Amino acid sequence: MRMRFEKLSPSQLIVSFYFFAVLISVALLSLPIALKPGVEWSFIDVLFTAVSAISVTGLAVVSTPDTFSTTGIFILMFILQFGGIGIMTLGTFFWLILGRKIGLKERQLIKTDQNQSSLSGLVILMKNILIIIVVIELVGGLLLGTYFLGYFPTWQEAFLQGMFASVSATTNAGFDITGQSLIPFAHDYYVQTVNIVLLTLGAIGFPVLIELKDYFASRNTRKRAHFSLYTKLTTTTFFGLMLFGTLAILLLEFNHFFADKTWHESFFYAFFQSSTTRNGGLATVDVSLFTNPTLLVISGLMFIGASPSSVGGGVRTTTVAIILLFLYSFARGRKSVKVFNREFEPEDILKSMAVMSTALLLCFIAVIVLSITEPFSTMQLIFEVASAFGTTGLSMGITPELSPTGKMIIILLMFIGRIGILSFITIISRPGADDLYHFPREKVIIG
Amino acid sequence: MRMRFEKLSPSQLIVSFYFFAVLISVALLSLPIALKPGVEWSFIDVLFTAVSAISVTGLAVVSTPDTFSTTGIFILMFILQFGGIGIMTLGTFFWLILGRKIGLKERQLIKTDQNQSSLSGLVILMKNILIIIVVIELVGGLLLGTYFLGYFPTWQEAFLQGMFASVSATTNAGFDITGQSLIPFAHDYYVQTVNIVLLTLGAIGFPVLIELKDYFASRNTRKRAHFSLYTKLTTTTFFGLMLFGTLAILLLEFNHFFADKTWHESFFYAFFQSSTTRNGGLATVDVSLFTNPTLLVISGLMFIGASPSSVGGGVRTTTVAIILLFLYSFARGRKSVKVFNREFEPEDILKSMAVMSTALLLCFIAVIVLSITEPFSTMQLIFEVASAFGTTGLSMGITPELSPTGKMIIILLMFIGRIGILSFITIISRPGADDLYHFPREKVIIG
Ligand SMILES: [K+]
Ligand SMILES: [K+]
């Protein structure tokens, strides 16, 4: 057994660990104390909820407040935390607490999960991530809980709601215990702003937070910390997408959904819904009220998803940024791709292309299969698939009505979206075994 | 003026030539003698028809038999021929006829148009192409014309119909003068078989035909001709897609469209509609009767399109084959992509990726814009966009009802689909000017 474990590649181990995390979540969510009295649910719905929570997607086949007891909500919060911060991060933490030495095998595991390209200092990084996230969640919980004192009868309920909302936002889980996402707060710009900040901190990428911390820590010292190409690239793309989404939604809904809204209402609707595609999944509006062009743009944004090494899914911001920069360089006839006074490794360009092509193929096949089993429109299916793969969790409302086959497909997409396309495709990897011989190269006519 | 012309890159020249070909076609189709008495049409419809003909797409905003006089049909046939075989091929031919020397500039032009990777022997190749195509068309015209003698009152009409059908099939133009595509021949397996053979010969790629000719010519000599990697790759992909399409349509429509059909009817419906996506555009059935999964599969097949260096459009077979083979190699952890005892040039892999990403981005934007201006479902728009970009010409019936903006978008897609994504993206190319300096390489976290 030990031998077998040792033989697995990091990708295979990550997939196995997430798989076991899903099994444990299924067991926890099936406990009678997790449910409200009288609630019964099918196995496929328990599995769906478990995967949705572990992958911090937030698509829901059942109403969270109607299904879970207070204990159940705590269990759900624990699963979100576990899934959002990454099983490996928590694993490292437990290893540290138990005083065990972190071996190279375990370090490699963490590397694959958070997609880190350097092994050194990874354990410290993980500790930092955990501390940063917990601090952010506590501050968010306080800010929201205090504010909720005016909304809920008891302080316990106000702070439970505040803490759940904060964890759900920071881990970009998209679950809600109001039963209506953030629609009741559609005109509460304070709650929305706190949420957008929390969503962004969770989805911007942990290394960005670490580098930001180092940067400010080194402000007064001689040797100033520098930002990596990764941080510059992902941050630019992240806020670029947020801005693009806001403008696109404003423009496309100007004569439709926003026709009877004030400028600040329109702005906050557009800004919140754009931010949430990066990939919170909370919404201040029933998205099915939007027109098709808006829904297609949102689908595209959800498919792109969050930064790598964050709580989010999708093909990730850097993948899209590298491909767009490559396309521009290619069109200009350049051989190398330059940005921020750096050049990409050719290998990274190929990696991005592999991720993008596989993701598109996967989602296309998913839409086709769903259009066989489900009675919904192509638009609704595209939206649902993009949301599941991006682990975003927005929905045009079809999730609870999916057939068991449809639910299984969404479950698979959420799972792959969370473990990441790279881990998914390299499951069949057999490194080193194939490049021992070579054939002559030959050019081919293309395009 | 001459200076400016000389300064243009091959891609820019190709685009300019196709642009002028469109202008001339617009002029020809506007001639009163081209039209039936009393027919009047708007400029956008003339432009649409001209681009649809030059790009041999076959999408139609007007009914061909109701609009054009016999002279008009001959003009249309001439435009199809011109567009299908490639303006450059005909240009070479005229140059040869006029006894003019073919310079390197002109050779480079042909190279870009037919995407040939070797300059040597290109002029001979072009002459061969023209001869082969004309022979194929004449044989097809005879086979169909003779058969049509039983259907039409006069032999002139029978052979006009036969010749038009043969040219339209061989150039994969998809235009018809029956007014109902090949639906009247839904049960005529002879006409369908002849059409499938002609469609395939036009779309399989000219170099394949040439290599096949050389192979058979060298059969009895000592030095046997060999097939290139291109020919092996594109032929395998071509017939692989044809088989996949047939099986997919059979399977997906088994309980729907084929529910009341015999096995041979079902097979021919599936086989013909699969073949036509590669990219004839003729149909023996109103495709809007198919279910959504079938329509999505057909959209995907149309988007892929024909072989490069053929009469067809789309991202082309080799692009898809290279990407799929690359994905498999990447997933297995290999550094090189091996197939048929050869390896691809790394540059060709990047080229395929550039073509695929640009094409997908382009089509996605087209669907979004069309969903703003048109009242049709996402499925109908995806189908129309894939058909236009693939220059296939199948439609769920929305083409004549498109708004002027919608028509302009389809016109652009047909144009880009024909000139090819590679020519399209390298319009802004400025080769050589940029790789004089380098920045340090830096790795980035991906996917
Ligand atoms: K989410
Ligand atoms: K066509």
Side-chain angles (χ1 to χ4, degrees):
Chain A
M1 193 64 203
R2 186 174 168 77
M3 286 297 288
R4 288 226 181 132
F5 177 85
E6 302 257 306
K7 267 187 192 161
L8 293 177
S9 71
S11 305
Q12 289 164 340
L13 276 176
I14 288 288
V15 174
S16 319
F17 274 124
Y18 270 106
F19 185 74
F20 282 114
V22 168
L23 288 189
I24 294 167
S25 304
V26 166
L28 287 174
L29 292 176
S30 304
L31 293 175
I33 54 157
L35 303 175
K36 283 208 163 155
V39 171
E40 278 185 25
W41 57 346
S42 64
F43 176 73
I44 188 88
D45 285 349
V46 181
L47 182 65
F48 193 102
T49 309
V51 174
S52 183
I54 275 290
S55 66
V56 288
T57 304
L59 284 172
V61 282
V62 295
S63 153
T64 309
D66 294 347
T67 309
F68 295 106
S69 64
T70 307
T71 314
I73 287 173
F74 273 105
I75 292 175
L76 194 61
M77 228 153 90
F78 174 76
I79 298 175
L80 298 184
Q81 197 71 286
F82 202 70
I85 304 186
I87 293 164
M88 288 306 95
T89 320
L90 282 183
T92 321
F93 191 66
F94 288 131
W95 254 305
L96 286 175
I97 286 175
L98 298 173
R100 283 169 65 168
K101 209 180 99 223
I102 307 269
L104 190 68
K105 189 84 188 171
E106 283 82 33
R107 278 175 201 264
Q108 252 181 345
L109 225 63
I110 302 164
K111 183 187 160 196
T112 312
D113 190 36
Q114 296 291 353
N115 253 318
Q116 275 297 327
S117 52
S118 151
L119 274 178
S120 64
L122 254 173
V123 173
I124 301 166
L125 176 71
M126 291 293 131
K127 249 172 43 182
N128 280 339
I129 288 178
L130 208 68
I131 294 168
I132 289 175
I133 292 295
V134 170
V135 168
I136 291 173
E137 284 173 348
L138 285 175
V139 172
L142 269 174
L143 285 174
L144 291 173
T146 315
Y147 187 75
F148 286 165
L149 285 174
Y151 285 80
F152 293 95
T154 65
W155 67 267
Q156 287 97 328
E157 207 169 330
F159 278 97
L160 175 64
Q161 287 277 352
M163 202 57 215
F164 187 90
S166 175
V167 169
S168 179
T170 311
T171 60
N172 278 245
F175 277 94
D176 62 90
I177 44 179
T178 64
Q180 301 170 269
S181 198
L182 286 185
I183 295 176
F185 300 100
H187 298 281
D188 189 327
Y189 302 153
Y190 172 80
V191 170
Q192 287 185 47
T193 308
V194 172
N195 264 286
I196 290 176
V197 172
L198 294 176
L199 291 175
T200 304
L201 289 173
I204 192 93
F206 298 133
V208 176
L209 299 179
I210 305 276
E211 284 186 30
L212 216 59
K213 204 195 76 182
D214 291 349
Y215 180 81
F216 285 111
S218 73
R219 241 189 339 180
N220 300 317
T221 63
R222 188 102 57 95
K223 212 178 141 196
R224 188 125 181 192
H226 280 285
F227 290 113
S228 65
L229 177 58
Y230 159 77
T231 290
K232 288 177 189 161
L233 195 68
T234 195
T235 312
T236 314
T237 316
F238 195 95
F239 289 110
L241 288 172
M242 221 152 146
L243 181 68
F244 168 78
T246 308
L247 292 178
I249 297 173
L250 272 177
L251 209 70
L252 293 171
E253 293 298 326
F254 188 72
N255 281 321
H256 301 97
F257 185 73
F258 297 149
D260 59 347
K261 309 279 189 296
T262 65
W263 69 266
H264 53 88
E265 280 175 328
S266 304
F267 172 77
F268 260 93
Y269 273 120
F271 185 46
F272 192 90
Q273 261 59 237
S274 171
S275 306
T276 201
T277 61
R278 215 44 349 79
N279 67 13
L282 293 162
T284 60
V285 61
D286 174 2
V287 288
S288 61
L289 297 175
F290 284 148
T291 56
N292 277 1
T294 313
L295 294 168
L296 285 170
V297 168
I298 292 181
S299 302
L301 292 172
M302 294 193 296
F303 175 80
I304 296 174
S307 305
S309 278
S310 77
V311 294
V315 288
R316 319 289 154 99
T317 50
T318 45
T319 308
V320 173
I322 290 177
I323 289 175
L324 290 180
L325 290 167
F326 160 71
L327 280 184
Y328 179 73
S329 299
F330 180 86
R332 296 290 278 180
R334 294 178 196 172
K335 293 254 180 290
S336 60
V337 184
K338 300 178 177 73
V339 68
F340 295 122
N341 294 340
R342 289 285 181 282
E343 289 183 15
F344 294 128
E345 293 281 352
E347 195 199 326
D348 280 349
I349 298 174
L350 287 177
K351 219 187 248 182
S352 306
M353 293 294 192
V355 167
M356 181 59 95
S357 333
T358 313
L360 283 170
L361 195 61
L362 189 76
C363 288
F364 184 59
I365 293 171
V367 170
I368 292 179
V369 178
L370 287 174
S371 71
I372 302 172
T373 59
E374 312 303 319
F376 304 112
S377 75
T378 311
M379 186 64 247
Q380 287 169 311
L381 298 178
I382 291 175
F383 196 90
E384 194 80 5
V385 164
S387 178
F389 173 71
T391 70
T392 314
L394 293 175
S395 174
M396 289 173 68
I398 66 171
T399 322
E401 281 142 66
L402 290 172
S403 71
T405 318
K407 282 177 186 165
M408 269 315 298
I409 289 172
I410 298 295
I411 287 172
L412 280 174
L413 284 175
M414 293 191 292
F415 190 79
I416 295 168
R418 182 63 195 108
I419 62 168
I421 281 284
L422 264 188
S423 296
F424 173 65
I425 38 187
T426 51
I427 289 179
I428 61 159
S429 176
R430 223 177 42 167
D434 293 301
D435 284 317
L436 300 172
Y437 61 99
H438 279 285
F439 292 121
R441 286 183 178 170
E442 186 174 332
K443 286 188 78 64
V444 165
I445 318 175
I446 293 161
Chain B
M1 193 62 201
R2 187 173 167 77
M3 286 296 289
R4 287 227 182 130
F5 177 85
E6 302 257 306
K7 267 185 191 160
L8 293 176
S9 73
S11 307
Q12 289 163 341
L13 276 175
I14 288 290
V15 174
S16 318
F17 274 124
Y18 269 105
F19 186 74
F20 281 114
V22 168
L23 289 190
I24 294 167
S25 305
V26 165
L28 288 173
L29 293 174
S30 303
L31 294 175
I33 54 159
L35 303 176
K36 282 208 166 157
V39 170
E40 278 184 25
W41 57 348
S42 65
F43 176 73
I44 188 89
D45 285 349
V46 181
L47 182 64
F48 193 102
T49 308
V51 173
S52 182
I54 274 290
S55 66
V56 288
T57 304
L59 284 172
V61 282
V62 295
S63 153
T64 308
D66 295 345
T67 309
F68 295 106
S69 64
T70 307
T71 315
I73 286 174
F74 274 105
I75 292 176
L76 194 61
M77 226 153 91
F78 174 76
I79 299 176
L80 298 183
Q81 196 72 286
F82 201 71
I85 304 187
I87 293 165
M88 288 305 96
T89 318
L90 282 184
T92 321
F93 191 65
F94 288 130
W95 254 305
L96 287 174
I97 288 175
L98 297 173
R100 283 172 63 169
K101 208 182 100 221
I102 308 269
L104 190 69
K105 189 84 189 172
E106 283 81 34
R107 276 174 204 266
Q108 251 179 348
L109 224 63
I110 302 164
K111 183 188 158 196
T112 312
D113 190 37
Q114 295 290 354
N115 254 319
Q116 275 295 329
S117 52
S118 152
L119 275 178
S120 64
L122 254 174
V123 174
I124 302 165
L125 177 71
M126 290 293 131
K127 250 172 41 181
N128 280 338
I129 288 178
L130 209 67
I131 293 167
I132 290 175
I133 292 295
V134 171
V135 168
I136 292 173
E137 284 174 347
L138 285 174
V139 172
L142 270 172
L143 286 174
L144 292 173
T146 315
Y147 188 75
F148 286 165
L149 285 174
Y151 285 81
F152 292 95
T154 65
W155 67 266
Q156 288 97 328
E157 207 169 330
F159 278 97
L160 175 64
Q161 286 277 352
M163 202 56 216
F164 188 91
S166 176
V167 170
S168 180
T170 311
T171 60
N172 278 245
F175 277 94
D176 62 89
I177 44 179
T178 63
Q180 302 169 268
S181 200
L182 286 185
I183 295 177
F185 301 100
H187 298 282
D188 189 328
Y189 301 152
Y190 172 79
V191 170
Q192 287 184 48
T193 308
V194 173
N195 264 286
I196 290 176
V197 171
L198 295 176
L199 292 176
T200 303
L201 289 173
I204 192 94
F206 299 132
V208 176
L209 299 181
I210 305 276
E211 285 187 29
L212 217 59
K213 204 195 76 180
D214 291 349
Y215 180 82
F216 285 111
S218 73
R219 237 185 347 177
N220 300 317
T221 63
R222 187 105 53 95
K223 213 178 139 197
R224 188 125 181 189
H226 280 284
F227 291 112
S228 65
L229 177 58
Y230 158 78
T231 290
K232 289 177 188 160
L233 194 68
T234 194
T235 312
T236 314
T237 316
F238 195 96
F239 290 110
L241 289 172
M242 222 150 145
L243 181 69
F244 167 78
T246 308
L247 293 178
I249 297 173
L250 272 177
L251 209 70
L252 293 172
E253 293 298 327
F254 188 72
N255 281 320
H256 300 98
F257 185 74
F258 297 149
D260 58 348
K261 308 279 189 297
T262 65
W263 69 266
H264 54 88
E265 280 174 329
S266 304
F267 171 76
F268 260 92
Y269 273 119
F271 185 46
F272 193 90
Q273 262 58 236
S274 171
S275 307
T276 202
T277 60
R278 223 29 1 74
N279 69 9
L282 293 163
T284 59
V285 61
D286 174 1
V287 288
S288 62
L289 297 175
F290 284 148
T291 56
N292 276 2
T294 312
L295 293 168
L296 285 170
V297 168
I298 292 181
S299 302
L301 291 172
M302 294 194 296
F303 174 81
I304 296 173
S307 305
S309 278
S310 76
V311 295
V315 287
R316 319 288 154 99
T317 49
T318 45
T319 309
V320 173
I322 291 177
I323 289 176
L324 290 180
L325 290 167
F326 160 72
L327 280 184
Y328 178 73
S329 299
F330 180 86
R332 295 290 279 180
R334 295 177 195 173
K335 292 255 180 289
S336 60
V337 184
K338 301 179 177 71
V339 67
F340 295 123
N341 294 339
R342 288 286 180 280
E343 288 183 15
F344 293 127
E345 293 281 352
E347 195 199 327
D348 281 349
I349 298 173
L350 287 178
K351 220 186 248 183
S352 305
M353 294 295 191
V355 167
M356 182 58 97
S357 333
T358 312
L360 284 169
L361 195 62
L362 189 76
C363 289
F364 184 58
I365 293 172
V367 170
I368 292 179
V369 177
L370 286 174
S371 72
I372 301 172
T373 61
E374 313 302 319
F376 305 112
S377 76
T378 311
M379 186 63 248
Q380 287 169 312
L381 297 178
I382 290 174
F383 196 90
E384 193 80 6
V385 163
S387 178
F389 173 72
T391 69
T392 314
L394 293 175
S395 174
M396 289 172 69
I398 66 172
T399 322
E401 282 141 66
L402 289 172
S403 71
T405 318
K407 283 176 185 165
M408 270 313 299
I409 289 169
I410 298 296
I411 288 172
L412 280 175
L413 285 173
M414 293 191 291
F415 191 79
I416 296 169
R418 183 63 196 106
I419 63 168
I421 281 284
L422 264 189
S423 295
F424 173 65
I425 38 186
T426 50
I427 288 179
I428 61 160
S429 177
R430 225 177 42 168
D434 292 302
D435 284 317
L436 300 172
Y437 61 97
H438 280 286
F439 292 122
R441 286 182 177 170
E442 187 174 332
K443 285 190 78 66
V444 165
I445 318 174
I446 292 161

